[in-house]
Amino acid sequence: MKNLPNHVSIREVGPRDGLQNEDTFIRTYDKVAWIEKLIDSGTSYIEITSFVSPKWIPALKDAKETAAKVKHKKDVTFAALVPNRKGAEAAIEAGMDELSVFMSASETHNKRNINKTIKETYPVLKEVIQEGKKANKTIRSYISTSFVCPYEGKVEIDKVLSVACALLEMGVDELSIGDTVGAASPRHVDQLLSVLLKKVTTDKIAMHFHNTYGMAAANCLASLQRGIHKLDSSCGGLGGCPYAPGAAGNMATEELLYLLHQMGIQTGMREEKIWEAAAFIERKLGRSLDSNILKVRNAGIGGI
Amino acid sequence: MKNLPNHVSIREVGPRDGLQNEDTFIRTYDKVAWIEKLIDSGTSYIEITSFVSPKWIPALKDAKETAAKVKHKKDVTFAALVPNRKGAEAAIEAGMDELSVFMSASETHNKRNINKTIKETYPVLKEVIQEGKKANKTIRSYISTSFVCPYEGKVEIDKVLSVACALLEMGVDELSIGDTVGAASPRHVDQLLSVLLKKVTTDKIAMHFHNTYGMAAANCLASLQRGIHKLDSSCGGLGGCPYAPGAAGNMATEELLYLLHQMGIQTGMREEKIWEAAAFIERKLGRSLDSNILKVRNAGIGGI
């Protein structure tokens, strides 16, 4: 197997992407405890919350309190999702290292998610980028529905390429190419990356998979084979999107670690710490999570 | 993505590997109904039962009745697992097209599973092979623990190669290379196949993955990239092994179909028929199955 990276940086998105759709409100105290467990696993990157209106995402209405209570750690990038300048200001004030903006590659999803056309979205993100750069922050942008749009079906690779190039030109430091509904196949991933990597270097790209159809690990593998060395995942496989009918949880961090470590790819993270963190948030949410490894661990089996 | 086959033959092992560990006994009437739904999906191969002692596998104690009641269909291979000559005779009498024998690549698992050393196992399988060939049947052999043994850990590729070559020399028509505990990584799959395919052609090999650590789809992908065009799977992701602590269900047929069809690889099968069959057996078993697609379908979402 060729082209595999030696090291992969995992972007832990559980506290934001993972929790944003949960009906059960996790108390700030427990959120902070979970985030600290995740940091303790050795992660170098964690998206801890989202500075959006509590009306949009009530699960993360305590963004400010969460950010204030988490102990920052050297060499760990703290990120937060922000939809606009106001959110950016709040995230900067809260001491975030990186601001994550978002838009979609498909018009309909973009419209439903942020009530703007793609063209109308750019100036909003530009304000965030300028605000962030002024404050010496790095900027990440999600490109949602980069493979399949729940309203439009398969998304043309050229559309993703066009949005990606526009964002990079505007000063975005890293793109997160999202399979929002979890419907991509490894061949689609391979095709998209073969086009994208002609224009963009791998250090600017993270891949973001959901596991709706059980394809997330296979899609990560296809990405690794194209030299991708940044992958998003969510502890416990938590996740989903309120504006993407049919979307299930993210690639589970514990399964991603298993995949990478078993293939001899380093991450700097400890699997057992992520299992513990996953078991912790599962207890707090009070429901069984969709993570194969967590099930094995809970059953007390799998002694290999 | 190179080397991918245009067509994959799926070996449906749900009625045998899937059901053998279930505590709930599925009535013969329902088993037959399920098998006929599976046949209706367009499968060309189905392992319908196991002619072993009911003491070993009570879930399949109605092997003879099941085989008698299922309507055979042209162009569909009916197979059954047999442990010895007595089982072979019963399977032949029941009109099976193919007999499946089994042994392990690791000594300890072989000993625990069939109470014999690897060397002692060959003559027993030889009797089955001779009996089968006399009756004009094809013979398949599972090689369990081809990657990881729950007792010995990682299994050397040379051990798998040695067992594989011995079985083919004895007249076995097809090998099923099993990741019994579901612990293989895509790189391990790639490494094993790079060695095995120097001695054996792809038409003699099927790969058999379990999804304990969420790696089954990624391992199927790694196999396809080596030109493998026969894969085992189980409707609803049912499965496990009583002599392999920690083993979870097989690669789910519905997820395998999604993977293959989305990648443009033909199977001759219809996904919606497999979903229906999975939902049927889930109802009969009375518990929620570990299949991402089945969950999406049950939730009535995923309209893409």
mmCIF file of all heavy atoms in Angstrom, chain A residues 1 4 183 185-187 190 211-213 215 221 225 246 255 258-259 262-263 290 292 295-296 302 304, chain B residues 1 4 183 185-187 190 211-213 215 218 225 246 255 258-259 263 290 292 295-296 302 304:
data_model
loop_
_atom_site.group_PDB
_atom_site.id
_atom_site.type_symbol
_atom_site.label_atom_id
_atom_site.label_comp_id
_atom_site.label_asym_id
_atom_site.label_seq_id
_atom_site.Cartn_x
_atom_site.Cartn_y
_atom_site.Cartn_z
ATOM 1 N N MET A 1 0.845 -1.189 0.000
ATOM 2 C CA MET A 1 0.000 0.000 0.000
ATOM 3 C C MET A 1 0.881 1.240 0.000
ATOM 4 O O MET A 1 1.652 1.470 0.933
ATOM 5 C CB MET A 1 -0.892 -0.035 1.255
ATOM 6 C CG MET A 1 -2.288 0.422 0.994
ATOM 7 S SD MET A 1 -3.402 0.027 2.354
ATOM 8 C CE MET A 1 -4.405 -1.244 1.576
ATOM 9 N N LEU A 4 0.997 6.126 1.819
ATOM 10 C CA LEU A 4 0.431 6.360 3.142
ATOM 11 C C LEU A 4 1.321 7.312 3.928
ATOM 12 O O LEU A 4 2.546 7.204 3.885
ATOM 13 C CB LEU A 4 0.295 5.043 3.901
ATOM 14 C CG LEU A 4 -0.664 4.005 3.309
ATOM 15 C CD1 LEU A 4 -0.596 2.716 4.109
ATOM 16 C CD2 LEU A 4 -2.092 4.530 3.272
ATOM 17 N N ALA A 183 -22.443 9.657 2.624
ATOM 18 C CA ALA A 183 -22.856 8.839 1.478
ATOM 19 C C ALA A 183 -21.749 8.641 0.455
ATOM 20 O O ALA A 183 -21.961 8.002 -0.567
ATOM 21 C CB ALA A 183 -24.062 9.492 0.804
ATOM 22 N N SER A 185 -18.387 7.277 -1.442
ATOM 23 C CA SER A 185 -17.701 5.985 -1.578
ATOM 24 C C SER A 185 -16.215 6.265 -1.707
ATOM 25 O O SER A 185 -15.810 7.376 -2.072
ATOM 26 C CB SER A 185 -18.184 5.256 -2.824
ATOM 27 O OG SER A 185 -17.568 5.816 -3.981
ATOM 28 N N PRO A 186 -15.378 5.256 -1.416
ATOM 29 C CA PRO A 186 -13.929 5.449 -1.547
ATOM 30 C C PRO A 186 -13.514 5.899 -2.953
ATOM 31 O O PRO A 186 -12.577 6.669 -3.107
ATOM 32 C CB PRO A 186 -13.365 4.061 -1.238
ATOM 33 C CG PRO A 186 -14.396 3.420 -0.364
ATOM 34 C CD PRO A 186 -15.717 3.927 -0.860
ATOM 35 N N ARG A 187 -14.234 5.425 -3.971
ATOM 36 C CA ARG A 187 -13.868 5.833 -5.330
ATOM 37 C C ARG A 187 -14.155 7.322 -5.536
ATOM 38 O O ARG A 187 -13.366 8.031 -6.160
ATOM 39 C CB ARG A 187 -14.629 4.986 -6.350
ATOM 40 C CG ARG A 187 -14.158 5.222 -7.771
ATOM 41 C CD ARG A 187 -14.827 4.272 -8.757
ATOM 42 N NE ARG A 187 -13.874 3.344 -9.344
ATOM 43 C CZ ARG A 187 -14.208 2.281 -10.061
ATOM 44 N NH1 ARG A 187 -15.475 1.974 -10.232
ATOM 45 N NH2 ARG A 187 -13.276 1.494 -10.577
ATOM 46 N N ASP A 190 -11.488 9.248 -3.822
ATOM 47 C CA ASP A 190 -10.269 9.179 -4.628
ATOM 48 C C ASP A 190 -10.353 10.130 -5.817
ATOM 49 O O ASP A 190 -9.391 10.840 -6.130
ATOM 50 C CB ASP A 190 -10.081 7.738 -5.090
ATOM 51 C CG ASP A 190 -8.765 7.526 -5.794
ATOM 52 O OD1 ASP A 190 -7.723 7.713 -5.136
ATOM 53 O OD2 ASP A 190 -8.773 7.227 -6.999
ATOM 54 N N ASN A 211 -20.604 8.360 9.095
ATOM 55 C CA ASN A 211 -20.648 6.898 8.916
ATOM 56 C C ASN A 211 -22.048 6.364 8.626
ATOM 57 O O ASN A 211 -22.343 5.206 8.899
ATOM 58 C CB ASN A 211 -20.076 6.223 10.173
ATOM 59 C CG ASN A 211 -19.582 4.826 9.893
ATOM 60 O OD1 ASN A 211 -19.114 4.541 8.783
ATOM 61 N ND2 ASN A 211 -19.713 3.931 10.863
ATOM 62 N N THR A 212 -22.899 7.177 8.035
ATOM 63 C CA THR A 212 -24.297 6.809 7.785
ATOM 64 C C THR A 212 -24.437 5.437 7.123
ATOM 65 O O THR A 212 -25.274 4.631 7.522
ATOM 66 C CB THR A 212 -24.955 7.874 6.882
ATOM 67 O OG1 THR A 212 -24.529 9.161 7.331
ATOM 68 C CG2 THR A 212 -26.466 7.772 6.925
ATOM 69 N N TYR A 213 -23.621 5.172 6.115
ATOM 70 C CA TYR A 213 -23.709 3.913 5.367
ATOM 71 C C TYR A 213 -22.538 2.969 5.693
ATOM 72 O O TYR A 213 -22.270 2.042 4.940
ATOM 73 C CB TYR A 213 -23.796 4.200 3.867
ATOM 74 C CG TYR A 213 -25.102 4.880 3.516
ATOM 75 C CD1 TYR A 213 -25.273 6.244 3.701
ATOM 76 C CD2 TYR A 213 -26.193 4.138 3.065
ATOM 77 C CE1 TYR A 213 -26.483 6.865 3.430
ATOM 78 C CE2 TYR A 213 -27.402 4.740 2.787
ATOM 79 C CZ TYR A 213 -27.543 6.108 2.975
ATOM 80 O OH TYR A 213 -28.742 6.710 2.710
ATOM 81 N N MET A 215 -19.359 3.665 5.666
ATOM 82 C CA MET A 215 -18.240 3.840 4.737
ATOM 83 C C MET A 215 -17.097 4.690 5.289
ATOM 84 O O MET A 215 -16.079 4.891 4.619
ATOM 85 C CB MET A 215 -18.727 4.492 3.428
ATOM 86 C CG MET A 215 -19.757 3.699 2.641
ATOM 87 S SD MET A 215 -19.130 2.108 2.060
ATOM 88 C CE MET A 215 -20.218 0.983 2.937
ATOM 89 N N LEU A 221 -9.435 5.503 4.553
ATOM 90 C CA LEU A 221 -8.366 4.745 3.891
ATOM 91 C C LEU A 221 -8.074 5.306 2.502
ATOM 92 O O LEU A 221 -6.910 5.523 2.139
ATOM 93 C CB LEU A 221 -8.764 3.266 3.800
ATOM 94 C CG LEU A 221 -7.795 2.361 3.039
ATOM 95 C CD1 LEU A 221 -6.422 2.322 3.692
ATOM 96 C CD2 LEU A 221 -8.362 0.939 2.920
ATOM 97 N N GLN A 225 -4.509 6.997 1.203
ATOM 98 C CA GLN A 225 -3.794 6.517 0.014
ATOM 99 C C GLN A 225 -3.489 7.647 -0.975
ATOM 100 O O GLN A 225 -2.676 7.479 -1.870
ATOM 101 C CB GLN A 225 -4.604 5.405 -0.669
ATOM 102 C CG GLN A 225 -4.603 4.122 0.162
ATOM 103 C CD GLN A 225 -5.408 3.005 -0.489
ATOM 104 O OE1 GLN A 225 -6.590 3.141 -0.775
ATOM 105 N NE2 GLN A 225 -4.749 1.885 -0.728
ATOM 106 N N GLY A 246 -30.823 12.352 7.191
ATOM 107 C CA GLY A 246 -30.168 11.083 6.902
ATOM 108 C C GLY A 246 -28.744 11.006 7.375
ATOM 109 O O GLY A 246 -28.125 9.953 7.321
ATOM 110 N N GLU A 255 -12.187 4.411 16.414
ATOM 111 C CA GLU A 255 -12.018 3.529 15.257
ATOM 112 C C GLU A 255 -10.954 4.063 14.305
ATOM 113 O O GLU A 255 -10.202 3.299 13.709
ATOM 114 C CB GLU A 255 -13.358 3.312 14.551
ATOM 115 C CG GLU A 255 -14.303 2.511 15.442
ATOM 116 C CD GLU A 255 -15.632 2.142 14.813
ATOM 117 O OE1 GLU A 255 -15.800 2.282 13.593
ATOM 118 O OE2 GLU A 255 -16.521 1.705 15.573
ATOM 119 N N TYR A 258 -7.693 3.109 15.782
ATOM 120 C CA TYR A 258 -7.431 1.678 15.536
ATOM 121 C C TYR A 258 -6.910 1.483 14.119
ATOM 122 O O TYR A 258 -5.884 0.831 13.900
ATOM 123 C CB TYR A 258 -8.701 0.849 15.768
ATOM 124 C CG TYR A 258 -8.444 -0.642 15.730
ATOM 125 C CD1 TYR A 258 -8.025 -1.321 16.873
ATOM 126 C CD2 TYR A 258 -8.577 -1.369 14.552
ATOM 127 C CE1 TYR A 258 -7.756 -2.677 16.839
ATOM 128 C CE2 TYR A 258 -8.309 -2.721 14.511
ATOM 129 C CZ TYR A 258 -7.905 -3.381 15.661
ATOM 130 O OH TYR A 258 -7.629 -4.726 15.617
ATOM 131 N N LEU A 259 -7.628 2.077 13.154
ATOM 132 C CA LEU A 259 -7.223 1.970 11.740
ATOM 133 C C LEU A 259 -5.786 2.447 11.554
ATOM 134 O O LEU A 259 -4.945 1.745 10.978
ATOM 135 C CB LEU A 259 -8.175 2.812 10.879
ATOM 136 C CG LEU A 259 -7.829 2.944 9.386
ATOM 137 C CD1 LEU A 259 -8.081 1.640 8.649
ATOM 138 C CD2 LEU A 259 -8.632 4.061 8.725
ATOM 139 N N GLN A 262 -3.016 0.396 13.696
ATOM 140 C CA GLN A 262 -2.824 -0.958 13.162
ATOM 141 C C GLN A 262 -2.084 -0.925 11.829
ATOM 142 O O GLN A 262 -1.507 -1.918 11.411
ATOM 143 C CB GLN A 262 -4.179 -1.656 12.973
ATOM 144 C CG GLN A 262 -4.881 -2.021 14.276
ATOM 145 C CD GLN A 262 -4.183 -3.136 15.030
ATOM 146 O OE1 GLN A 262 -3.715 -4.087 14.425
ATOM 147 N NE2 GLN A 262 -4.094 -3.027 16.337
ATOM 148 N N MET A 263 -2.171 0.216 11.139
ATOM 149 C CA MET A 263 -1.459 0.338 9.865
ATOM 150 C C MET A 263 -0.073 0.945 10.049
ATOM 151 O O MET A 263 0.621 1.245 9.068
ATOM 152 C CB MET A 263 -2.295 1.172 8.888
ATOM 153 C CG MET A 263 -3.559 0.436 8.460
ATOM 154 S SD MET A 263 -4.592 1.387 7.327
ATOM 155 C CE MET A 263 -3.615 1.272 5.821
ATOM 156 N N ASP A 290 -23.103 4.718 18.532
ATOM 157 C CA ASP A 290 -22.811 3.886 17.349
ATOM 158 C C ASP A 290 -21.321 3.737 17.112
ATOM 159 O O ASP A 290 -20.799 4.191 16.092
ATOM 160 C CB ASP A 290 -23.427 4.540 16.096
ATOM 161 C CG ASP A 290 -24.896 4.200 15.981
ATOM 162 O OD1 ASP A 290 -25.306 3.181 16.555
ATOM 163 O OD2 ASP A 290 -25.619 4.967 15.320
ATOM 164 N N ASN A 292 -18.419 0.758 17.127
ATOM 165 C CA ASN A 292 -18.152 -0.679 17.271
ATOM 166 C C ASN A 292 -17.209 -0.952 18.429
ATOM 167 O O ASN A 292 -17.421 -1.855 19.225
ATOM 168 C CB ASN A 292 -17.535 -1.228 15.980
ATOM 169 C CG ASN A 292 -18.529 -1.239 14.840
ATOM 170 O OD1 ASN A 292 -19.379 -2.109 14.762
ATOM 171 N ND2 ASN A 292 -18.447 -0.242 13.979
ATOM 172 N N LYS A 295 -18.734 -0.629 21.831
ATOM 173 C CA LYS A 295 -19.570 -1.792 22.150
ATOM 174 C C LYS A 295 -18.725 -2.966 22.625
ATOM 175 O O LYS A 295 -19.059 -3.648 23.580
ATOM 176 C CB LYS A 295 -20.383 -2.217 20.919
ATOM 177 C CG LYS A 295 -21.636 -1.373 20.742
ATOM 178 C CD LYS A 295 -22.375 -1.764 19.468
ATOM 179 C CE LYS A 295 -23.238 -0.605 19.021
ATOM 180 N NZ LYS A 295 -23.380 -0.526 17.566
ATOM 181 N N VAL A 296 -17.625 -3.201 21.952
ATOM 182 C CA VAL A 296 -16.708 -4.278 22.335
ATOM 183 C C VAL A 296 -16.196 -4.036 23.742
ATOM 184 O O VAL A 296 -16.177 -4.918 24.595
ATOM 185 C CB VAL A 296 -15.520 -4.359 21.342
ATOM 186 C CG1 VAL A 296 -14.419 -5.258 21.886
ATOM 187 C CG2 VAL A 296 -15.989 -4.851 19.989
ATOM 188 N N GLY A 302 -13.003 -8.747 23.397
ATOM 189 C CA GLY A 302 -12.042 -8.182 22.442
ATOM 190 C C GLY A 302 -10.654 -8.064 23.012
ATOM 191 O O GLY A 302 -9.982 -7.059 22.831
ATOM 192 N N ILE A 304 -7.642 -8.443 22.413
ATOM 193 C CA ILE A 304 -6.511 -8.592 21.498
ATOM 194 C C ILE A 304 -5.764 -7.264 21.392
ATOM 195 O O ILE A 304 -6.273 -6.238 21.734
ATOM 196 C CB ILE A 304 -6.948 -9.024 20.093
ATOM 197 C CG1 ILE A 304 -8.153 -8.177 19.656
ATOM 198 C CG2 ILE A 304 -7.295 -10.474 20.034
ATOM 199 C CD1 ILE A 304 -8.007 -7.545 18.337
ATOM 200 N N MET B 1 -8.228 4.944 -8.692
ATOM 201 C CA MET B 1 -8.127 3.696 -7.943
ATOM 202 C C MET B 1 -8.006 2.525 -8.920
ATOM 203 O O MET B 1 -8.914 2.286 -9.712
ATOM 204 C CB MET B 1 -9.383 3.551 -7.073
ATOM 205 C CG MET B 1 -9.080 3.013 -5.713
ATOM 206 S SD MET B 1 -10.484 3.191 -4.585
ATOM 207 C CE MET B 1 -9.823 4.402 -3.448
ATOM 208 N N LEU B 4 -9.364 -2.450 -9.492
ATOM 209 C CA LEU B 4 -10.675 -2.856 -8.971
ATOM 210 C C LEU B 4 -11.370 -3.776 -9.961
ATOM 211 O O LEU B 4 -11.318 -3.563 -11.169
ATOM 212 C CB LEU B 4 -11.547 -1.617 -8.734
ATOM 213 C CG LEU B 4 -11.057 -0.624 -7.685
ATOM 214 C CD1 LEU B 4 -11.960 0.606 -7.653
ATOM 215 C CD2 LEU B 4 -11.008 -1.267 -6.312
ATOM 216 N N ALA B 183 -10.166 -8.108 13.528
ATOM 217 C CA ALA B 183 -9.104 -7.238 14.038
ATOM 218 C C ALA B 183 -8.092 -6.849 12.973
ATOM 219 O O ALA B 183 -7.133 -6.142 13.258
ATOM 220 C CB ALA B 183 -8.389 -7.933 15.197
ATOM 221 N N SER B 185 -6.275 -5.025 9.790
ATOM 222 C CA SER B 185 -6.249 -3.672 9.222
ATOM 223 C C SER B 185 -6.087 -3.804 7.711
ATOM 224 O O SER B 185 -5.620 -4.827 7.214
ATOM 225 C CB SER B 185 -5.076 -2.879 9.789
ATOM 226 O OG SER B 185 -3.872 -3.269 9.137
ATOM 227 N N PRO B 186 -6.447 -2.750 6.975
ATOM 228 C CA PRO B 186 -6.277 -2.802 5.519
ATOM 229 C C PRO B 186 -4.832 -3.093 5.092
ATOM 230 O O PRO B 186 -4.598 -3.765 4.103
ATOM 231 C CB PRO B 186 -6.710 -1.404 5.064
ATOM 232 C CG PRO B 186 -7.644 -0.936 6.126
ATOM 233 C CD PRO B 186 -7.128 -1.505 7.403
ATOM 234 N N ARG B 187 -3.876 -2.590 5.865
ATOM 235 C CA ARG B 187 -2.480 -2.848 5.489
ATOM 236 C C ARG B 187 -2.145 -4.334 5.656
ATOM 237 O O ARG B 187 -1.452 -4.913 4.821
ATOM 238 C CB ARG B 187 -1.542 -1.987 6.347
ATOM 239 C CG ARG B 187 -0.095 -2.059 5.900
ATOM 240 C CD ARG B 187 0.773 -1.067 6.671
ATOM 241 N NE ARG B 187 1.311 -0.046 5.787
ATOM 242 C CZ ARG B 187 1.892 1.072 6.209
ATOM 243 N NH1 ARG B 187 1.984 1.322 7.494
ATOM 244 N NH2 ARG B 187 2.376 1.929 5.354
ATOM 245 N N ASP B 190 -3.638 -6.153 2.797
ATOM 246 C CA ASP B 190 -2.829 -5.905 1.610
ATOM 247 C C ASP B 190 -1.552 -6.752 1.632
ATOM 248 O O ASP B 190 -1.169 -7.343 0.621
ATOM 249 C CB ASP B 190 -2.489 -4.411 1.560
ATOM 250 C CG ASP B 190 -1.780 -4.037 0.276
ATOM 251 O OD1 ASP B 190 -2.413 -4.186 -0.786
ATOM 252 O OD2 ASP B 190 -0.615 -3.627 0.332
ATOM 253 N N ASN B 211 -16.707 -7.211 11.673
ATOM 254 C CA ASN B 211 -16.664 -5.758 11.848
ATOM 255 C C ASN B 211 -16.442 -5.309 13.295
ATOM 256 O O ASN B 211 -16.810 -4.204 13.673
ATOM 257 C CB ASN B 211 -17.968 -5.141 11.308
ATOM 258 C CG ASN B 211 -17.799 -3.683 10.951
ATOM 259 O OD1 ASN B 211 -16.715 -3.269 10.531
ATOM 260 N ND2 ASN B 211 -18.849 -2.898 11.133
ATOM 261 N N THR B 212 -15.790 -6.151 14.081
ATOM 262 C CA THR B 212 -15.592 -5.888 15.507
ATOM 263 C C THR B 212 -15.067 -4.475 15.779
ATOM 264 O O THR B 212 -15.544 -3.789 16.676
ATOM 265 C CB THR B 212 -14.613 -6.916 16.100
ATOM 266 O OG1 THR B 212 -14.938 -8.205 15.555
ATOM 267 C CG2 THR B 212 -14.696 -6.950 17.613
ATOM 268 N N TYR B 213 -14.074 -4.064 15.023
ATOM 269 C CA TYR B 213 -13.446 -2.757 15.233
ATOM 270 C C TYR B 213 -13.831 -1.744 14.146
ATOM 271 O O TYR B 213 -13.166 -0.722 13.976
ATOM 272 C CB TYR B 213 -11.922 -2.922 15.329
ATOM 273 C CG TYR B 213 -11.527 -3.669 16.577
ATOM 274 C CD1 TYR B 213 -11.584 -5.064 16.626
ATOM 275 C CD2 TYR B 213 -11.164 -2.995 17.737
ATOM 276 C CE1 TYR B 213 -11.274 -5.761 17.782
ATOM 277 C CE2 TYR B 213 -10.853 -3.679 18.897
ATOM 278 C CZ TYR B 213 -10.908 -5.058 18.912
ATOM 279 O OH TYR B 213 -10.601 -5.739 20.058
ATOM 280 N N MET B 215 -13.698 -2.140 10.918
ATOM 281 C CA MET B 215 -12.738 -2.140 9.801
ATOM 282 C C MET B 215 -13.202 -2.938 8.580
ATOM 283 O O MET B 215 -12.492 -2.979 7.568
ATOM 284 C CB MET B 215 -11.388 -2.720 10.262
ATOM 285 C CG MET B 215 -10.685 -1.956 11.374
ATOM 286 S SD MET B 215 -10.233 -0.266 10.897
ATOM 287 C CE MET B 215 -11.233 0.675 12.050
ATOM 288 N N ALA B 218 -13.377 -1.183 5.122
ATOM 289 C CA ALA B 218 -12.027 -0.762 4.700
ATOM 290 C C ALA B 218 -11.200 -1.978 4.273
ATOM 291 O O ALA B 218 -10.416 -1.913 3.317
ATOM 292 C CB ALA B 218 -11.327 -0.001 5.828
ATOM 293 N N GLN B 225 -8.751 -3.749 -4.071
ATOM 294 C CA GLN B 225 -7.604 -3.101 -4.708
ATOM 295 C C GLN B 225 -6.519 -4.106 -5.097
ATOM 296 O O GLN B 225 -5.626 -3.781 -5.875
ATOM 297 C CB GLN B 225 -7.039 -2.013 -3.788
ATOM 298 C CG GLN B 225 -7.972 -0.809 -3.700
ATOM 299 C CD GLN B 225 -7.426 0.284 -2.803
ATOM 300 O OE1 GLN B 225 -7.130 0.072 -1.635
ATOM 301 N NE2 GLN B 225 -7.293 1.477 -3.335
ATOM 302 N N GLY B 246 -14.602 -11.933 21.546
ATOM 303 C CA GLY B 246 -14.418 -10.586 21.018
ATOM 304 C C GLY B 246 -14.868 -10.417 19.587
ATOM 305 O O GLY B 246 -14.875 -9.317 19.068
ATOM 306 N N GLU B 255 -24.230 -3.197 3.478
ATOM 307 C CA GLU B 255 -23.157 -2.204 3.418
ATOM 308 C C GLU B 255 -22.145 -2.554 2.325
ATOM 309 O O GLU B 255 -21.609 -1.675 1.656
ATOM 310 C CB GLU B 255 -22.491 -2.042 4.785
ATOM 311 C CG GLU B 255 -23.471 -1.422 5.774
ATOM 312 C CD GLU B 255 -22.900 -1.111 7.144
ATOM 313 O OE1 GLU B 255 -21.669 -1.152 7.331
ATOM 314 O OE2 GLU B 255 -23.703 -0.822 8.038
ATOM 315 N N TYR B 258 -23.660 -1.439 -0.865
ATOM 316 C CA TYR B 258 -23.537 0.021 -1.002
ATOM 317 C C TYR B 258 -22.128 0.380 -1.475
ATOM 318 O O TYR B 258 -21.949 1.129 -2.434
ATOM 319 C CB TYR B 258 -23.860 0.709 0.332
ATOM 320 C CG TYR B 258 -23.954 2.216 0.203
ATOM 321 C CD1 TYR B 258 -25.145 2.819 -0.168
ATOM 322 C CD2 TYR B 258 -22.847 3.025 0.419
ATOM 323 C CE1 TYR B 258 -25.231 4.201 -0.318
ATOM 324 C CE2 TYR B 258 -22.920 4.397 0.271
ATOM 325 C CZ TYR B 258 -24.123 4.979 -0.088
ATOM 326 O OH TYR B 258 -24.199 6.350 -0.241
ATOM 327 N N LEU B 259 -21.134 -0.183 -0.792
ATOM 328 C CA LEU B 259 -19.728 0.073 -1.151
ATOM 329 C C LEU B 259 -19.482 -0.252 -2.625
ATOM 330 O O LEU B 259 -18.955 0.565 -3.382
ATOM 331 C CB LEU B 259 -18.801 -0.774 -0.261
ATOM 332 C CG LEU B 259 -17.302 -0.742 -0.579
ATOM 333 C CD1 LEU B 259 -16.689 0.597 -0.200
ATOM 334 C CD2 LEU B 259 -16.553 -1.860 0.133
ATOM 335 N N MET B 263 -19.222 2.319 -6.022
ATOM 336 C CA MET B 263 -17.931 2.375 -6.709
ATOM 337 C C MET B 263 -18.047 1.887 -8.150
ATOM 338 O O MET B 263 -17.028 1.739 -8.841
ATOM 339 C CB MET B 263 -16.902 1.555 -5.924
ATOM 340 C CG MET B 263 -16.555 2.209 -4.597
ATOM 341 S SD MET B 263 -15.356 1.269 -3.641
ATOM 342 C CE MET B 263 -13.860 1.597 -4.564
ATOM 343 N N ASP B 290 -26.466 -4.652 14.277
ATOM 344 C CA ASP B 290 -25.361 -3.701 14.092
ATOM 345 C C ASP B 290 -25.123 -3.401 12.618
ATOM 346 O O ASP B 290 -24.067 -3.717 12.074
ATOM 347 C CB ASP B 290 -24.069 -4.284 14.682
ATOM 348 C CG ASP B 290 -24.008 -4.070 16.177
ATOM 349 O OD1 ASP B 290 -24.679 -3.137 16.655
ATOM 350 O OD2 ASP B 290 -23.301 -4.834 16.847
ATOM 351 N N ASN B 292 -25.353 -0.177 9.989
ATOM 352 C CA ASN B 292 -25.616 1.263 9.845
ATOM 353 C C ASN B 292 -26.784 1.513 8.900
ATOM 354 O O ASN B 292 -27.659 2.314 9.179
ATOM 355 C CB ASN B 292 -24.370 1.975 9.300
ATOM 356 C CG ASN B 292 -23.245 1.996 10.311
ATOM 357 O OD1 ASN B 292 -23.254 2.788 11.228
ATOM 358 N ND2 ASN B 292 -22.300 1.089 10.170
ATOM 359 N N LYS B 295 -30.172 0.755 10.310
ATOM 360 C CA LYS B 295 -30.607 1.806 11.249
ATOM 361 C C LYS B 295 -31.170 3.004 10.488
ATOM 362 O O LYS B 295 -32.184 3.569 10.867
ATOM 363 C CB LYS B 295 -29.430 2.261 12.123
ATOM 364 C CG LYS B 295 -29.195 1.344 13.297
ATOM 365 C CD LYS B 295 -27.973 1.771 14.092
ATOM 366 C CE LYS B 295 -27.433 0.585 14.860
ATOM 367 N NZ LYS B 295 -25.984 0.641 15.055
ATOM 368 N N VAL B 296 -30.491 3.398 9.426
ATOM 369 C CA VAL B 296 -30.962 4.512 8.605
ATOM 370 C C VAL B 296 -32.338 4.183 8.039
ATOM 371 O O VAL B 296 -33.262 4.987 8.077
ATOM 372 C CB VAL B 296 -29.966 4.778 7.438
ATOM 373 C CG1 VAL B 296 -30.575 5.720 6.413
ATOM 374 C CG2 VAL B 296 -28.668 5.353 7.979
ATOM 375 N N GLY B 302 -32.366 9.167 5.310
ATOM 376 C CA GLY B 302 -31.362 8.786 4.318
ATOM 377 C C GLY B 302 -31.896 8.779 2.913
ATOM 378 O O GLY B 302 -31.605 7.884 2.131
ATOM 379 N N ILE B 304 -31.299 9.537 -0.042
ATOM 380 C CA ILE B 304 -30.387 9.907 -1.134
ATOM 381 C C ILE B 304 -30.193 8.725 -2.051
ATOM 382 O O ILE B 304 -30.479 7.616 -1.691
ATOM 383 C CB ILE B 304 -29.013 10.352 -0.602
ATOM 384 C CG1 ILE B 304 -28.537 9.360 0.471
ATOM 385 C CG2 ILE B 304 -29.058 11.735 -0.056
ATOM 386 C CD1 ILE B 304 -27.223 8.798 0.247
#
